Each structure stands twice: as structure tokens, then as C-alpha cells.
Amino acid sequence: LFPSFFLTSANNFAMKGKRKTLNAGDVLSAMEEMEFQRFVAPLKESLEVYRREQKGKKEARKDKDKKADSEEQDKSREEENDDDDERMEEEEQNDEEEVDN
């Protein structure tokens, strides 16, 4: 019964904000309304720690993706240079053949 009442209270806060999705603020407001203020401060701290960790992971992922992208670009440039070198060698051979003819 308690979880149902708790979620209903949090849902009411979301509806007042004209939203269909609950967020952390709705849950914290419901806890305060239900007179669980002593849990609000520790939960806020835990939420901040969690958000910082997620932000750090996201930034690390972005850095990793950027590094992978730059490596892919370097490889593609090398392949293009190799292709260009091969084309130039073929053209030189063709030019030599034409001169011989």
C-alpha cells in the first residue's frame, strides 16, 4: 500500500508540472509531503554523486569515440595515400609503355 501511495503522490507532482514522466524532484517532493524529510538530504547527495559519475562516464565515452574517429580518419588517409601512390605508379608505367611504342 505504501509504494502505491508514494507513487501516486509523486505522480501528482508530475501532473502539476504538466508532465507525464516522474523525475527525481517529484519523488523528493513526495517524500517531503509524506514527512520523510530526514531521507531527502541523503538522497539528494546520492543523486548528485550518481549524476557526476554518469557525466564522467559520458565524457569518457565521448573522448574514446573522438579518439577512435581520429584513428579511423588517419587509417582512411593512409589508404587514400596508398591508392594514390599505386595510381601514380600505374600511370608512370603506362607513360613508359607509350614512350616505348
Side-chain angles (χ1 to χ4, degrees):
L1 187 60
F2 173 76
S4 178
F5 179 67
F6 179 73
L7 289 175
T8 301
S9 180
N11 191 41
N12 287 338
F13 282 103
M15 289 173 53
K16 287 178 186 177
K18 298 181 182 181
R19 291 177 283 108
K20 292 183 179 181
T21 305
L22 296 176
N23 63 28
D26 299 327
V27 173
L28 294 172
S29 297
M31 290 186 78
E32 288 176 358
E33 182 178 271
M34 295 172 63
E35 298 179 6
F36 286 105
Q37 290 90 354
R38 66 180 179 194
F39 297 111
V40 173
L43 279 174
K44 283 183 180 180
E45 291 173 13
S46 297
L47 181 61
E48 286 302 314
V49 169
Y50 173 77
R51 286 180 176 165
R52 275 186 255 132
E53 287 175 358
Q54 293 302 311
K55 187 176 181 180
K57 288 179 183 179
K58 188 176 181 179
E59 289 174 358
R61 208 174 308 126
K62 281 183 181 180
D63 291 343
K64 185 178 179 181
D65 289 345
K66 285 181 182 179
K67 185 176 181 181
D69 288 344
S70 67
E71 288 176 359
E72 285 180 21
Q73 289 176 352
D74 290 344
K75 285 182 182 179
S76 65
R77 286 182 191 142
E78 288 175 6
E79 290 173 0
E80 287 176 9
N81 288 339
D82 290 344
D83 291 343
D84 289 343
D85 291 343
E86 289 175 8
R87 281 189 219 124
M88 290 178 69
E89 288 175 5
E90 289 176 6
E91 289 176 4
E92 287 175 2
Q93 288 175 353
N94 290 338
D95 289 344
E96 289 175 5
E97 289 176 3
E98 288 178 9
V99 170
D100 290 340
N101 290 335

